[in-house]
Amino acid sequence: MALMPVSDALAAVLAGAEPLPEEMVSLDEAYHRVLARDVAARRTQPPEAMSAMDGYAVRAADAATVDSRLAVTGEVAAGRPFAGRVGPGEAVRIFTGGVVPDGADAVVIQEDTVAEGKLITIKEAAIPGRHIRPAGIDFREGDVLLRKGSRLTERDLALAAGMNHPHLAVFRRPRVAILATGDELVMPGTTPGHGQIVYSNGYALHALARSEGAETIDLGVAADTLEATSAGIRRARESGADILITTGGASVGDHDLVQQALKDEGISMAFWKIAIRPGKPMMHGRLGAMRVIGLPGNPVSSYVCAFLFMVPLIRAMSGRSVIHHHRERAVLGRDLGANDQREDYLRARLEQRDDGTLVALPVSHQDSSLLANLAAAQVLLVRAPFAPRAEAGTPCEVLRLPA
């Protein structure tokens, strides 16, 4: 099978991916969920003109000159409006958040007055509208302020609450099952035997999926047998997973059994080799409604392919309005040789010059097994297939890795 271009592989992964059904959740449960409907304000905020400062509500015409004297006829606090009206020569003591009483059209802050019993002397001329928040200055009933497809921030939750929404319609979180394979894998904290390595891929994959809003299901590590691998795949289906991620066993060696196990379970395979570095032996297909991505076993390949393919799929199934990674412009920090037929994703550090220019500095070694260099990178530097040799300072494109 010829190597599939990265863009075609991503299109295949995303083909037919639709947002999952919606559900209602409380505001306490809505953080980082994706809105399934536009959200409109149920009220006007503020509903009436409010004071922005502590001071006195006055008629600006009565306090237009310094040393004007006004009689204080009442008091307004937040939640306790004044029942009367401000008449000529009058003022009402008002506190921040208090409703501006009828008749008043300005607030003189308390620092600009001198109080003497029931009288105040104005020391700074009033200006109509000053220190008053008009009704609806924040939003008005019916204003659509949160849009379908947006992932809710803590600020969005405050806005939804202010709009008087105790619950929000969101898309269901994708359920991502993660299955590792390999007799050589042992858990962190144990002492590897001869020829064994410590399992690391799953920790990054679970964290990456959860950071994108998915729920994850840990299927553990399957032994290098067809029976164990098939059993893991069946557990994913039984768990109700929307996406199955396998790591390891994606090549075609005698001990790389994932592809055969998936075929035995009835997968419809879309591809199993792509023109990418790192990560050429990657698979994708469908098992009924469950989407499957078979990642390579090398930790860098596993992570990079998950970042490039799993993340957009999670976003699409979550109902996000933006699913693709944003490419930024930078310049090379060192010379690079010509590229071959595979699209290259180099791990790189990112620096910013005084003029704002971003400089991408590829890490010294790009081997797909090197976790330390992956952890040290801030971006993936993208190089097109057959890109010619490029000197330092040449424009390039980068994808920021999660911080």
Side-chain angles (χ1 to χ4, degrees):
M1 182 183 291
L3 297 182
M4 178 179 281
V6 172
S7 58
D8 291 351
L10 181 57
V13 168
L14 296 176
E18 295 289 340
L20 294 167
E22 69 175 59
E23 57 189 15
M24 295 296 293
V25 300
S26 69
L27 288 183
D28 283 338
E29 300 171 315
Y31 178 61
H32 273 180
R33 299 297 297 271
V34 179
L35 279 175
R37 306 178 199 167
D38 290 347
V39 180
R42 290 175 168 173
R43 60 188 296 275
T44 295
Q45 174 69 16
E48 301 176 79
M50 302 282 188
S51 178
M53 303 288 285
D54 293 345
Y56 296 87
V58 301
R59 299 182 349 146
D62 294 338
T65 58
V66 173
D67 292 332
S68 299
R69 290 169 65 83
L70 303 175
V72 179
T73 60
E75 181 180 286
V76 180
R80 298 203 308 270
F82 179 65
R85 181 180 181 86
V86 178
E90 296 178 345
V92 169
R93 183 77 166 105
I94 195 166
F95 296 92
T96 302
V99 175
V100 177
D102 289 344
D105 61 358
V107 170
V108 179
I109 62 174
Q110 62 186 29
E111 296 92 326
D112 293 336
T113 64
V114 175
E116 302 172 80
K118 292 292 185 178
L119 295 174
I120 60 167
T121 301
I122 302 298
K123 294 301 180 182
E124 178 75 25
I127 299 174
R130 193 172 189 183
H131 305 309
I132 292 177
R133 297 171 180 148
I137 190 175
D138 196 354
F139 51 79
R140 293 190 173 275
E141 184 177 354
D143 288 350
V144 176
L145 301 175
L146 296 171
R147 294 288 180 179
K148 175 181 177 180
S150 60
R151 193 179 188 200
L152 292 163
T153 67
E154 66 279 7
R155 302 178 305 283
D156 295 331
L157 297 182
L159 175 58
M163 291 193 294
N164 207 23
H165 287 273
H167 298 86
L168 295 172
V170 297
F171 292 110
R172 179 172 68 76
R173 297 179 189 270
R175 289 190 283 267
V176 179
I178 298 174
L179 174 67
T181 64
D183 289 337
E184 76 278 14
L185 300 177
V186 297
M187 291 296 107
T190 61
T191 301
H194 186 63
Q196 293 183 316
I197 59 173
V198 176
Y199 173 54
S200 60
N201 292 7
Y203 298 96
L205 297 177
H206 280 280
L208 184 60
R210 288 195 296 264
S211 73
E212 291 294 332
E215 298 175 359
T216 63
I217 303 163
D218 187 1
L219 299 177
V221 180
D224 278 330
T225 67
L226 192 58
E227 294 76 15
T229 306
S230 296
I233 295 168
R234 288 194 293 273
R235 290 201 308 275
R237 300 184 76 175
E238 292 163 359
S239 71
D242 303 294
I243 303 170
L244 168 62
I245 303 294
T246 65
T247 175
S251 295
V252 292
D254 292 342
H255 299 285
D256 294 320
L257 303 170
V258 173
Q259 184 177 167
Q260 185 58 54
L262 288 169
K263 288 181 177 178
D264 289 349
E265 292 300 313
I267 192 172
S268 174
M269 188 75 73
F271 63 79
W272 61 274
K273 285 184 180 180
I274 56 177
I276 189 173
R277 183 188 298 104
K280 179 178 74 171
M282 196 190 97
M283 300 178 294
H284 168 63
R286 298 278 295 272
L287 273 173
M290 184 173 71
R291 294 167 179 271
V292 181
I293 297 177
L295 301 174
N298 275 323
V300 176
S301 302
S302 172
Y303 180 84
V304 170
C305 288
F307 178 72
L308 295 175
F309 296 95
M310 179 188 76
V311 167
L313 179 59
I314 290 173
R315 291 176 179 176
M317 297 182 77
S318 299
R320 296 270 289 273
S321 56
V322 177
I323 63 174
H324 294 286
H325 295 298
H326 172 64
R327 294 193 177 193
E328 296 181 61
R329 299 287 291 175
V331 297
L332 294 177
R334 65 176 176 85
D335 298 347
L336 292 176
N339 195 20
D340 61 13
Q341 76 273 19
R342 290 195 279 170
E343 192 164 305
D344 214 347
Y345 290 82
L346 302 173
R347 278 70 68 206
R349 297 182 179 88
L350 196 64
E351 296 180 355
Q352 189 169 16
R353 294 175 179 163
D354 291 341
D355 65 359
T357 301
L358 297 177
V359 181
L361 294 159
V363 297
S364 55
H365 298 289
Q366 295 288 329
D367 187 276
S368 60
S369 67
L370 303 181
L371 282 170
N373 277 347
L374 175 63
Q378 288 95 39
V379 296
L380 297 176
L381 193 165
V382 186
R383 300 203 75 212
F386 303 108
R389 182 181 182 279
E391 296 181 351
T394 302
C396 63
E397 291 187 329
V398 297
L399 300 174
R400 286 188 191 260
L401 294 171

